[in-house]
Amino acid sequence: MSPMDKLNLGIVGAGGRGASFKAACDALKQVSVHAVCDINADALPGAAKLLGAREQYTDYGEMLEKSELDAVIIGTPMKFHAPQAIAALERNLHVLSEVTAGVSVEECRELVVASKRSRGIYMMAENYTYMQPNVIVRELVRRGLFGTTYYAEGKYLHELKELNEVTVWRRKWQTGINGVTYGTHSLGPILQWMPGERVVAVSGVGSGHHYRDPRGAEYENEDSCLMLCKMASGGLVKIRVDMLSNRPDASTNYQLQGTDGCYESARAWGEKDRIWLRSRCKDTGTWLNLDDLKDEFLPDFWKENMASGEASGHGGGDYFEILDFVDAIEGKRLTPIGIHEAMDMTLPGLVSQLSIQDGSRWMDVPDSRKW
Ligand SMILES: NC(=O)c1ccc[n+]([C@@H]2O[C@H](COP(=O)([O-])OP(=O)(O)OC[C@H]3O[C@@H](n4cnc5c(N)ncnc54)[C@H](O)[C@@H]3O)[C@@H](O)[C@H]2O)c1
């Protein structure tokens, strides 16, 4: 900790996603952005100014070596997440990593081993689990209003053919591999709606190729990739990730079925999230607006801290994510997305990539708790 008793943060990938943590860090008195790192030397001074950082680095290893840090936030392209997290954990620094946790099962295993050896806490920044509708559904599940949850769907439909050419790492790590490459935004909230569950097996299947990149090459990722997930207690989850099809974005698309309730998120902007609860609806033809349940079911912890949360944007989600990370570091409570929850969200997508190569064969998803 710094002399002022603030947690010194280092943000890597500060010229991109890393900078988006600014408002939440500003709202939290316990943290100070001490150092920033980005390989793009031109972007670095602007990022340092924006984030109020005292130190700037173009080399991540040098930042870890020289800077007095307590924790790092990793906002670099996907292939750097696991190696950069491991390097920080080896120095007993706390890590908040962007999604996904890693790009192969093997490096995920190395990350788990590093995390178990480290005194640093690992948390994955799966921010869709912090979106208000998803938090309200989680609370409804927690209070038993869905009964037993056993089926869910999550869709991430975000056409990024142009963005692919700007942030070129996406061409490889998101659209350059077949199968579900970016599934944690869809699976993450669903896993929290199925408490105690884990995906034990997946089958990956795709819709074929209908688009080419500007160089005329076929994308390795099929346009729509589905991942069917068999859950530990027999339930089923369907994830669809599509980053290529021409269509409006719909990246927060969810459905949940329980014995006593069901939820269907809005399919497009302007529509409402709707919910049916056996205990609240007079018949099966009546839906409720999820938003009308907000006062009753947004968790007290959110209500108590909402003034700071809302000031930092995104309905409070970014703020509560960083707050969970800091509270875990300070030993107040466990992080909700520690190393094993991060693996539960990341590994099924990686195994779906192996399954789709092998004729959609059902494949077991390893349990990181046994690593
Ligand atoms: N959670 C979300 O909602 C969300 C949204 C967007 C992006 N992301 C994730 O955040 C990550 C970054 O995405 P982005 O859109 O900001 O990408 P980006 O390409 O815009 O930014 C990445 C930044 O990292 C820097 N960088 C690259 N390699 C580096 C290295 N080895 N060391 C230090 N800096 C390095 C780049 O110069 C750039 O400034 C990705 O993993 C992406 O999946 C998450």
Side-chain angles (χ1 to χ4, degrees), residues 158-176 212-215 219-221 243-244:
H158 179 200
E159 189 272 310
L160 49 71
K161 292 194 286 295
E162 267 183 42
L163 188 60
N164 244 336
E165 302 301 315
V166 184
T167 49
V168 291
W169 60 268
R170 283 193 163 82
R171 178 66 188 86
K172 167 135 179 75
W173 297 104
Q174 294 193 336
T175 60
R212 287 182 179 266
D213 74 12
R215 291 157 297 283
Y219 293 96
E220 291 77 2
N221 201 217
M243 295 178 280
L244 294 168

Side-chain angles (χ1 to χ4, degrees), residues 95-278:
V95 172
L96 181 66
S97 168
E98 255 307 337
V99 300
T100 59
V103 292
S104 73
V105 173
E106 205 33 60
E107 72 169 14
C108 282
R109 186 191 296 271
E110 288 165 21
L111 175 59
V112 171
V113 171
S115 175
K116 282 162 92 171
R117 281 199 193 123
S118 177
R119 289 196 299 280
I121 284 166
Y122 175 91
M123 174 169 164
M124 189 173 78
E126 184 27 86
N127 54 330
Y128 283 41
T129 66
Y130 288 86
M131 289 179 173
Q132 269 195 31
N134 295 344
V135 170
I136 295 168
V137 172
R138 184 173 74 213
E139 184 66 8
L140 284 157
V141 169
R142 194 184 71 79
R143 292 207 225 162
L145 276 90
F146 273 89
T148 302
T149 49
Y150 57 86
Y151 179 79
E153 293 182 22
K155 299 186 188 119
Y156 182 84
L157 314 178
H158 179 200
E159 189 272 310
L160 49 71
K161 292 194 286 295
E162 267 183 42
L163 188 60
N164 244 336
E165 302 301 315
V166 184
T167 49
V168 291
W169 60 268
R170 283 193 163 82
R171 178 66 188 86
K172 167 135 179 75
W173 297 104
Q174 294 193 336
T175 60
I177 300 169
N178 206 7
V180 167
T181 53
Y182 197 63
T184 66
H185 290 333
S186 311
L187 183 58
I190 288 172
L191 286 174
Q192 294 190 339
W193 301 339
M194 296 184 160
E197 279 287 14
R198 194 180 75 76
V199 179
V200 291
V202 299
S203 165
V205 61
S207 64
H209 304 270
H210 300 87
Y211 306 91
R212 287 182 179 266
D213 74 12
R215 291 157 297 283
E218 199 165 69
Y219 293 96
E220 291 77 2
N221 201 217
E222 290 182 59
D223 308 324
S224 258
C225 286
L226 294 190
M227 171 169 85
L228 283 179
C229 306
K230 200 70 189 152
M231 309 305 286
S233 57
L236 183 65
V237 171
K238 184 174 96 179
I239 301 295
R240 174 181 167 201
V241 174
D242 185 330
M243 295 178 280
L244 294 168
S245 295
N246 293 333
R247 56 156 297 137
D249 287 355
S251 56
T252 56
N253 223 297
Y254 303 95
Q255 291 193 27
L256 177 67
Q257 182 65 56
T259 49
D260 293 331
C262 91
Y263 171 60
E264 294 189 352
S265 72
R267 298 184 70 83
W269 290 115
E271 294 180 358
K272 292 194 184 308
D273 301 316
R274 59 187 193 169
I275 185 161
W276 177 85
L277 295 171
R278 195 147 71 108

Side-chain angles (χ1 to χ4, degrees), residues 48-111:
K49 190 161 176 234
L50 175 79
L51 289 155
R54 274 164 278 175
E55 299 176 6
Q56 308 173 25
Y57 298 88
T58 50
D59 183 80
Y60 179 66
E62 193 185 340
M63 178 173 84
L64 295 188
E65 176 83 34
K66 293 191 178 158
S67 191
E68 296 231 339
L69 297 178
D70 299 296
V72 292
I73 296 182
I74 299 174
T76 45
M78 287 164 64
K79 75 164 178 170
F80 297 110
H81 296 174
Q84 289 181 337
I86 291 169
L89 289 166
E90 281 172 350
R91 290 173 176 273
N92 294 312
L93 298 179
H94 308 292
V95 172
L96 181 66
S97 168
E98 255 307 337
V99 300
T100 59
V103 292
S104 73
V105 173
E106 205 33 60
E107 72 169 14
C108 282
R109 186 191 296 271
E110 288 165 21
L111 175 59

